[in-house]
Amino acid sequence: MKKLYIFLALMALVSPVFGVWLANLIGYHEPLDVAADMINEVANETLHKVILQDVSDQMNWTPLKDYTVPGLPDWLGYIISAYIGLAIFIALWLVARRVKKTR
């Protein structure tokens, strides 16, 4: 089990390479964002108006939007988000394991 935790910790450390650095290098954008831009582009050409407004700032329900931490560089926010996600997942797994043992 210790090896799994070490592996997950290392994966969290290298996650900004894929999620930040390589994504910026190749210009990766989320597929739904690309689809919304394409729909708006067609609507703007044909109807001369924008159909899909970006309301992500108005409806942000997450404390770590796009895996970033306000005030920190993107790569560091990515790592912190990964560790928070791992901590939540491991805590839930430990609780589920304990509940299963008591039955």
Side-chain angles (χ1 to χ4, degrees), residues 26-39:
I26 64 170
Y28 175 79
H29 298 285
E30 293 291 331
L32 288 178
D33 292 341
V34 173
D37 289 343
M38 292 173 69
I39 290 170

Side-chain angles (χ1 to χ4, degrees), residues 3-55:
K3 289 181 181 179
L4 176 62
Y5 290 145
I6 292 171
F7 174 74
L8 292 173
L10 290 174
M11 293 302 292
L13 282 176
V14 299
S15 66
V17 171
F18 302 100
V20 177
W21 186 68
L22 286 175
N24 289 336
L25 184 67
I26 64 170
Y28 175 79
H29 298 285
E30 293 291 331
L32 288 178
D33 292 341
V34 173
D37 289 343
M38 292 173 69
I39 290 170
N40 279 333
E41 186 177 315
V42 170
N44 193 23
E45 289 175 5
T46 58
L47 305 172
H48 304 291
K49 67 178 184 179
V50 175
I51 293 177
L52 299 173
Q53 300 288 334
D54 184 4
V55 295

Side-chain angles (χ1 to χ4, degrees), residues 65-86:
K65 182 181 176 190
D66 292 335
Y67 309 108
T68 59
V69 176
L72 294 179
D74 288 349
W75 63 269
L76 186 55
Y78 228 80
I79 292 172
I80 291 171
S81 295
Y83 282 122
I84 290 172
L86 285 172

